[in-house]
């Protein structure tokens, strides 16, 4: 993952977030319309578990919004 999120006491599950962000970044890099559609769906439907020492929720939400815009 190219983006480093702040780890907080209670936040989004890091593994789950990393998987969705990696999928979106790969789709952006590939410029494949099917990959982009799959990544948009994955972001839109993502429901991350709350865990101790997870990623800051607002940072993740902002990054996912940016990725969604990039995926068009």
């Amino acid at each position: 993952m190219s983006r480093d999120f702040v780890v907080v006491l209670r936040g989004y599950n890091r593994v789950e977030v990393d998987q969705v962000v990696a999928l979106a970044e790969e789709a952006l890099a590939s410029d494949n319309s099917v990959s982009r559609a799959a990544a948009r769906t994955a972001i839109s439907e993502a429901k991350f578990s709350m865990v101790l020492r997870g990623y800051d929720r607002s940072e993740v939400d902002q990054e996912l919004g940016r990725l969604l815009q990039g995926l068009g």
Side-chain angles (χ1 to χ4, degrees):
M1 182 182 80
S2 65
R3 174 78 166 94
D4 291 325
F5 298 108
V6 172
V7 175
V8 295
L9 183 61
R10 288 198 42 79
Y12 288 147
N13 182 299
R14 293 183 285 177
V15 172
E16 295 171 358
V17 171
D18 287 345
Q19 289 172 344
V20 172
V21 170
L23 178 70
E25 289 177 341
E26 288 172 18
L28 281 171
S30 76
D31 208 29
N32 178 302
S33 62
V34 174
S35 295
R36 285 176 171 251
R40 281 193 306 271
T41 299
I43 291 172
S44 298
E45 295 178 354
K47 301 225 184 293
F48 302 116
S49 305
M50 294 295 294
V51 296
L52 291 175
R53 301 205 33 80
Y55 288 143
D56 181 88
R57 291 176 285 171
S58 63
E59 283 190 6
V60 172
D61 291 342
Q62 287 176 1
E63 180 66 9
L64 292 179
R66 186 192 67 76
L67 288 168
L68 262 178
Q69 286 182 340
L71 290 166

